[in-house]
Amino acid sequence: MRFSMFSQKLTPREFIRKAIDEKLPRHVEGFIERLLAKAYGLRPVKVELPDLELDVALQGFKRLELVGEVKWRKGIKASEIHRIEEKLSRFKCKRVLVVPNERVLERKPDGIEVLTPWELLEIAEESLETSLT
C-alpha cells in the first residue's frame, strides 16, 4: 500500500473573514440584480458616468426603469443613506435600496423603496404567479 503525504497549511481565520467580507457583497449584488431583472422583465445594464457606480441598473425598451444600491451590512449610517439618496436622485425611475433588514438603517431613506429579503421573496413569488397564469 502506498501513501502520499500532502502538506496542509491552515488559512488564518482573519484572511477567510476578509475574503468573505469582500466577495459576499458582490455576489449578493449580482444575485439581486438578476432576480429583479427577471421579476420585472428588464435587462441589466451598466451605467457609465464619471464618479458614479450603481449596484443595480435595469433597463426596459429604451430607458432605465430601476436603479438601486445593495448594502449587505450590519449597519448603515445616516450619512451613507444621504449619499445613496443623492446618487439615486439623479435618475427618474424606480429607486431601491436592498438591505438584510430594516434595523440596519439609521434612518429610512427619502424617495427610495427599501427592500429586504422578505420583500424580494414577495416580488419573486408575484412574478412567478404572473408568469404561470
Side-chain angles (χ1 to χ4, degrees), residues 55-71:
D55 296 338
V56 178
L58 302 176
Q59 182 175 351
F61 180 63
K62 287 189 174 186
R63 65 183 192 93
L64 279 178
E65 299 287 337
L66 184 147
V67 293
E69 285 293 298
V70 178
K71 299 298 177 193

Side-chain angles (χ1 to χ4, degrees), residues 6-31:
F6 292 98
S7 170
Q8 290 187 353
K9 187 175 181 178
L10 295 177
T11 305
R13 189 178 194 99
E14 300 81 35
F15 176 81
I16 294 169
R17 171 55 48 204
K18 185 177 179 187
I20 290 172
D21 289 345
E22 286 181 21
K23 295 206 180 263
L24 184 63
R26 294 284 182 212
H27 290 292
V28 171
E29 288 169 11
F31 173 80

Side-chain angles (χ1 to χ4, degrees), residues 28-45:
V28 171
E29 288 169 11
F31 173 80
I32 289 170
E33 182 175 60
R34 289 186 302 277
L35 173 77
L36 293 173
K38 284 184 179 185
Y40 292 128
L42 301 171
R43 181 172 50 102
V45 294

Side-chain angles (χ1 to χ4, degrees), residues 22-104:
E22 286 181 21
K23 295 206 180 263
L24 184 63
R26 294 284 182 212
H27 290 292
V28 171
E29 288 169 11
F31 173 80
I32 289 170
E33 182 175 60
R34 289 186 302 277
L35 173 77
L36 293 173
K38 284 184 179 185
Y40 292 128
L42 301 171
R43 181 172 50 102
V45 294
K46 293 288 179 205
V47 173
E48 295 183 21
L49 296 172
D51 70 308
L52 177 71
E53 179 186 332
L54 292 173
D55 296 338
V56 178
L58 302 176
Q59 182 175 351
F61 180 63
K62 287 189 174 186
R63 65 183 192 93
L64 279 178
E65 299 287 337
L66 184 147
V67 293
E69 285 293 298
V70 178
K71 299 298 177 193
W72 211 253
R73 302 190 200 134
K74 294 180 182 176
I76 303 168
K77 296 194 176 295
S79 59
E80 185 167 4
I81 294 169
H82 180 70
R83 284 192 298 275
I84 293 167
E85 289 168 337
E86 285 182 342
K87 180 194 290 192
L88 297 184
S89 70
R90 297 179 182 187
F91 301 93
K92 302 299 178 211
C93 60
K94 182 174 184 157
R95 298 180 291 265
V96 300
L97 172 60
V98 182
V99 295
N101 64 64
E102 288 192 26
R103 293 186 308 270
V104 303

